[in-house]
Amino acid sequence: MKQQSVSSNTISLLFLFLFSIAGTALSDDGYTLWMNYKKVDDEKRLSEYQNAIQTIIVSGTSETCRAIHAELDHGLRGLLAREITFASSLVGKNVLLIGTPRTSEIIGKLGYGLMLRSLGNDGYLLKSAEFNGTKMTVVAANTDVGLLYGTFHLLRLIETHQSVASLDISSRPKTQYRLLDHWDNLDGSIERGYAGKSLWKWADLPKSVDLRYRDYARAAASIGINGTVLNNVNADPRLLDAEHLAKVAALADVFRPYGIRTFLSVNFASPMSGKFDLDGNRKGGIGNLSTSDPLNADVRSWWKNKAEEIYKLIPDFGGFVVKANSEGMPGPQDYGRTHADGANMLAEALGPHGGVVMWRAFVYNPDVDSDRVKRAYKEFVPLDGKFLKDVFVQAKNGPLDFQPREPVQPLFGAMPKTPLMLELQLTQEYLGHSTHLVYLAPMWKEYLQFDTYAKGKGSTLASIVDGSLQNYQMTGMAGVANIGNDRNWCGHTFAQSNWYAYGRLAWDHDLSAEQIAEEWIRMTLSNDSSVVASIRSMMMGSREACVDYMEPLGLHHIMQTDFHYGPEPSYDKGRPDWTPVYYHRADSMGLGFDRSSSGSNATSQYFSPVKEEFDSITTCPDMYLLWFHHVRWDHRMKSGRTLWEELCNKYYLGTAYVDSMLTTWNSLHNSIDPEIFLLVKSRLEKQKIDAGIWRDTCLTYFQKFSKMAIGHAP
Ligand code: BDP
């Protein structure tokens, strides 16, 4: 579980030994995430577990089964505080049996066949059973990876002190592709990364394989992640050269036993010859062609050959993510071709090998519409039905860019013939980086539960993404990772909860944000119920507070240009669709962007009755009001307050919530590991200062237009 490289193995082991003889006073540096496997401190539960798990049988010899064995050995040794006995046949009275009907005769005889049939490749059963007088806890699945997921579920039950006495659980993921997207660059930097440098040590690979890669895979698999995109969507073409593919293959070898497939972001101009411009930026690709036109025969065969080369090295390679014709990246439109032409060419290369294309819909060409948020819809909806079967169109949750709050991206529901993959952002690009405590599950739930009305009432975003509404043949979610090489992976301890929550929701979007928070707190911080309750309630309101102190009532993109951390509402230079002034449109009359039918008419991209609800200033929910309407300062809100009063109120509510989080946290100083306590405390203190800056900067700026006094309800 410690970070070390193979070459420094011995030294690290020595350290480990010295640390362990130093006793238990060592504080928690966060490295073990939600898998710290500390001894169960509830005596009753501990003896229940010790009694139920006396001998373990892991049926199967695959690398995945070896990983299961290692995880149980390590996990249960910690949790149950004793040596763990493994056996290959039934011995003793109480057995933990892990196997598939193919690898274990007993599983075959227990009669789970029908149940297993409905669980697919990744699902599993957790059962309490009896066989020939032996009491058993059973993890059964159709595949070894299913067993791995079931094993992690069992460990989670124990880590959260739940009974394992009469288990009857079956679980299968609601989406097929559950990916973490890393925006990591070859030089070790991470685009929008706030937790150190990239985990991937390109210079050392493939020879030296950091043991941390395995811990990454364990953590990801423990929450059901089954794919990792290694590099930035602003893709460096060199990742596809032979030298780098060997490095990618070495990573894929580490991830494979954990059921994690490897994917790459690719640069559309890869087949072209490349050079560096005066700023040192690479233009073009790694090939020797003079074009990357997707209808050119040489370009097409370049990609086919590249795919063959990749699959020779990585037989289970997952596929490509492509950012094309967006923010300066090359794409098919450079040759007058469509996004579908580009995506289909790549699908033809990957499809025969079992790979997919994730073609991003994050495009906002100003020629398409003067309102940035309408552009992706206008470019992609006409292409519905034109993509080959191995293509996903991957869209961010909102139509702009990962703001603290946006309405749903209207593409969802509007492309019934194209599987849409939902892209969420774990890294807090616009939500206080790794300094602010913002638990994102409530936000993701808000999107997933949003009713698009695409096929009438009940057409939630979740039902689109999981394929049930429009019968997608492939389904998936992608989360832009918040992971770096910081010792605790995510910078902020609570940012770990966002990694955790993303995986859990990608597996099952019906889980509640509260339940996920509770699991995470119990596994990471404390199993004491009152501590859990305090932290959970802190987390649950943290995202709404962030919206309130940054961009309440539908305001958006009023942050510092490019850095995206603090407020900069007065900024109006450069591309208009990147400037706060373009978005908030404050003037002497009021505030907000008129996207109603009397303005840019972005409301028309939604289905009825959402369209009408958003279009009218009286029915538009407060939380989206300034997104869709330019509202008079003296407009009466649903609360009875004027817009100006409500705005002030929200900013003060947000900052007050941060104060209350700090107070709650301080009250827990005896209940939390000291290292984690101090780390979180110092970040909350900074968050408090930042929230005040947001409030004061924005209100003072808007006051210039409203000419009203800043005040707030007590
Ligand atoms: C924006 C980021 C930018 C990304 C871009 C994208 O500011 O760094 O490259 O999205 O998603 O959120 O492509």
Side-chain angles (χ1 to χ4, degrees), residues 183 191-192 232-234 323 326-327 360 362 396 401-402 423 425 429-430 564:
W183 283 0
E191 177 136 356
R192 312 302 175 187
N232 193 354
V233 286
N234 298 312
K323 171 173 176 177
S326 164
E327 301 188 332
R360 295 178 85 230
F362 181 66
K396 295 184 181 183
D401 191 10
F402 296 136
E423 180 177 310
Q425 195 182 45
E429 176 180 355
Y430 292 96
H564 298 167

Side-chain angles (χ1 to χ4, degrees), residues 12-13 38 88 101 138 182 212 234-235 247 259 276 340 372 402 421 452 460 528 593 629 651 680 711:
S12 307
L13 281 174
K38 285 196 190 118
S88 49
V138 180
H182 295 265
R212 191 166 185 172
N234 298 312
K247 298 168 190 274
F276 289 92
R372 174 169 161 182
F402 296 136
M421 184 179 266
T452 65
T460 59
D528 175 317
F593 198 130
H629 297 276
Y651 273 110
V680 173

Side-chain angles (χ1 to χ4, degrees), residues 275-289:
K275 54 182 178 306
F276 289 92
D277 66 13
L278 291 177
D279 296 328
N281 296 318
R282 198 184 171 89
K283 294 274 173 243
I286 52 164
N288 54 16
L289 302 180

Side-chain angles (χ1 to χ4, degrees), residues 590-634:
L591 181 63
F593 198 130
D594 185 359
R595 296 195 168 100
S596 72
S597 43
S598 52
S600 81
N601 205 18
T603 48
S604 68
Q605 294 183 338
Y606 292 87
F607 294 92
S608 288
V610 179
K611 177 198 308 223
E612 291 77 13
E613 188 195 3
F614 287 172
D615 201 54
S616 150
I617 199 168
T618 47
T619 53
C620 183
D622 283 0
M623 63 186 185
Y624 305 131
L625 192 65
L626 304 177
W627 183 283
F628 288 115
H629 297 276
H630 189 68
V631 182
R632 291 176 60 95
W633 294 112
D634 60 2

Side-chain angles (χ1 to χ4, degrees), residues 432-447:
H433 298 186
S434 61
T435 302
H436 293 202
L437 190 167
V438 186
Y439 175 50
L440 298 173
M443 167 161 107
W444 296 331
K445 288 290 288 186
E446 178 179 301
Y447 287 103

